[in-house]
Amino acid sequence: MSNLWLDLGNTRLKYWLADDIGQIITSDAKQHLQAPAELLIGLTDRFDTLAPEFIGVSSVLGEEVNAQVAESLATLGIPFEFVHVDANHPLLTSDYDAGQLGVDRWLQILGAVDRKKRQCIVGCGTALTIDLVDHAHHLGGYIFPSIYLQREALFSGTKQISISEGTFTSISEGVNTSDAVHRGILLSIVGAINEIARRNPNYEFTLTGGDAPLLAQHLNHPIHIKDSLLLNGLMRYFDQQNQPR
Ligand SMILES: Nc1ncnc2c1ncn2[C@@H]1O[C@H](COP(=O)(O)OP(=O)(O)O)[C@@H](O)[C@H]1O
Ligand SMILES: CC(C)(COP(=O)(O)O)[C@@H](O)C(=O)NCCC(=O)O
Ligand SMILES: [K+]
């Protein structure tokens, strides 16, 4: 008995194949280059051989793409279900507009939620999200452009800044355009997360998403990195056996 869990984000398609006690058998993350349904078709042979009994899907790609993805999944002849935010879930309540909250943010919170804790969940994906959860009640949060989106915005929004390569490794002041851009962008995100931590001293911080390891290096307080938080949320949502790691 195995299940396939899909996370369709704005940059990458992630999938995990897990057994019925939530142990990961195989997983992968691929940039879908704005063609997730086509990428999925390319993966159907792999999914066929993995032969899951069920496919749980998280997608923030909108109804049109979701319909294409559903069409690709239907060719597998395996039951599948897209997750929708449940404002009255037994494990989690929220002040956020349930019709607007990204299902990935909601599942990341569901994957971490602990009613004995005050938690800050930071999603480090195409958009960077910060969500505050007080004893299993979601207070709300913030959305920022990721470091890459910020660099693209500077590139397209200015005449003289044509920086499109480079690494985000320091928040010390820069002495050339490329360093000033990369350090300024990194500082904007790291500074925001540190400010949220300063304002919420007794919150436990958990980072997830592709950029979590990069950002974590520059934070000046203890944090947890959990790269399978959304997966935990999917398994909890579909009521699979899994212990929060
Ligand atoms: N322009 C880019 N150049 C290099 N890597 C990028 C770029 N944009 C995104 N990425 C990488 O893709 C990953 C996106 O993280 P992920 O959590 O999968 O995002 P999402 O869930 O939004 O698809 C990150 O690891 C990030 O480093
Ligand atoms: C904020 C997001 C774009 C993050 O998505 P991601 O970076 O994981 O691709 C996604 O959660 C989303 O589309 N949210 C809808 C708007 C909201 O949460 O208010
Ligand atoms: K968009």
Side-chain angles (χ1 to χ4, degrees), residues 38-182:
E38 289 73 9
L39 175 58
L40 266 181
I41 291 172
L43 292 168
T44 45
D45 308 9
R46 178 138 179 70
F47 294 160
D48 250 345
T49 48
L50 298 174
E53 276 81 7
F54 174 75
I55 304 173
V57 189
S58 166
S59 171
V60 290
L61 299 184
E63 288 317 308
E64 192 181 329
V65 170
N66 288 352
Q68 296 164 4
V69 167
E71 219 174 294
S72 303
L73 291 175
T75 62
L76 290 171
I78 300 168
F80 63 87
E81 183 178 332
F82 283 76
V83 175
H84 298 284
V85 171
D86 173 0
N88 302 307
H89 192 279
L91 293 177
L92 171 64
T93 55
S94 174
D95 289 337
Y96 207 98
D97 182 326
Q100 295 186 349
L101 179 62
V103 72
D104 58 344
R105 290 173 66 188
W106 185 72
L107 283 168
Q108 283 164 185
I109 298 167
L110 186 64
V113 72
D114 179 335
R115 68 182 185 292
K116 298 186 294 304
K117 290 181 180 174
R118 291 192 174 95
Q119 299 167 288
C120 181
I121 308 299
V122 184
C124 310
T126 311
L128 186 120
T129 55
I130 299 178
D131 284 295
L132 294 168
V133 191
D134 183 2
H135 295 99
H137 180 70
H138 179 217
L139 302 174
Y142 308 86
I143 301 174
F144 303 70
S146 71
I147 52 181
Y148 300 103
L149 283 188
Q150 290 195 43
R151 184 171 64 187
E152 284 170 30
L154 273 178
F155 184 101
S156 55
T158 64
K159 275 276 181 282
Q160 296 185 162
I161 298 178
S162 55
I163 309 288
S164 60
E165 303 290 318
T167 54
F168 297 87
T169 53
S170 159
I171 54 174
S172 310
E173 61 280 1
V175 290
N176 59 59
T177 304
S178 178
D179 283 357
V181 164
H182 287 90

Side-chain angles (χ1 to χ4, degrees), residues 9-12 14 31 124-126 148 152 209-211:
N10 281 283
T11 297
R12 298 191 306 177
K14 280 77 70 181
Q31 297 211 0
C124 310
T126 311
Y148 300 103
E152 284 170 30
D211 283 335

